[in-house]
Amino acid sequence: LDGDCAERLGLYFSMLRKWSKTMRLVGDAAPNALVLHILDSLAPARLPLPESSFVDVGSGAGFPGVPLACLEPDRLVFLVESRMRRAAFLKEVVRELKLSNVTVFSSRFEDVEIPTEAFAMGRAVAPPAKFLKMVERQGLRSAVLMTNETMLCDEYAQGWRVGAQDRPGLAFSPAHVNLFCSMDTGSL
């Protein structure tokens, strides 16, 4: 991590701690749990991702979109969160961290217009098959599934294939797995 990224992540951590006192942003707001969430959010960067922008579907407290936006300040990131209070938190994070590469949508994913060359990313949003179908309905052709090992299977959704897989090795039980998926070109 470069200095700017580390500084932004530190400020984000502080904001998570502060805002979690008045609203439930994450299940466990203990410092070690928040660090684990941030590290888990950075893990998809280890996958061979497209150069395009991405949309964090159901961004919630900003995982994984905010940490990845700090890591890659030249990549456009769209945070989509339908819950107004969490969207307000995300807008404040973007302002405080001066993340000019991030746009927050206070809306449902289905109601947002995202560039079709973007890819989607989802962490604990929906079961893999349902998430990929949501992505497909929005016209997107690739996605990162941030899931756990209990959800691994041979096929996640018809017409989709797993192109890359990574296990971050963090202290989650069950273990987390990141899958980069794309539409089969034969199914278009």
Side-chain angles (χ1 to χ4, degrees), residues 99-148:
L99 293 172
S100 61
N101 59 325
V102 178
T103 302
V104 177
F105 291 97
S106 181
S107 182
R108 296 184 52 81
F109 178 55
E110 298 81 12
D111 299 330
V112 176
E113 287 189 39
I114 301 294
T116 55
E117 69 275 3
F119 65 95
M121 197 170 297
R123 182 177 187 259
V125 176
K130 183 176 181 182
F131 177 72
L132 291 174
K133 289 299 177 189
M134 288 169 45
V135 169
E136 187 176 343
R137 280 193 299 273
Q138 284 297 93
L140 306 182
R141 296 292 179 243
S142 55
V144 173
L145 288 172
M146 297 180 73
T147 188
N148 68 59

Side-chain angles (χ1 to χ4, degrees), residues 33-107:
L34 293 176
V35 168
L36 199 57
H37 284 301
I38 291 170
L39 292 174
D40 189 46
S41 295
L42 293 169
R46 298 172 8 156
L47 292 167
L49 300 175
E51 297 287 322
S52 62
S53 58
F54 79 86
V55 55
D56 178 1
V57 180
S59 191
F63 303 125
V66 170
L68 287 170
C70 292
L71 183 66
E72 299 184 53
D74 294 329
R75 184 190 296 267
L76 292 177
V77 176
F78 305 100
L79 306 178
V80 179
E81 176 53 53
S82 63
R83 294 168 286 187
M84 297 299 184
R85 291 183 66 196
R86 290 187 186 204
F89 167 74
L90 293 172
K91 288 176 182 178
E92 184 64 13
V93 165
V94 167
R95 189 184 69 73
E96 285 287 325
L97 274 57
K98 298 177 177 61
L99 293 172
S100 61
N101 59 325
V102 178
T103 302
V104 177
F105 291 97
S106 181
S107 182

Side-chain angles (χ1 to χ4, degrees), residues 7 11 24 26 44 49 65 81 115 123 170 172-173:
E7 185 177 329
L11 181 54
R24 188 180 163 101
V26 293
L49 300 175
E81 176 53 53
R123 182 177 187 259
L170 298 169
F172 286 104
S173 181

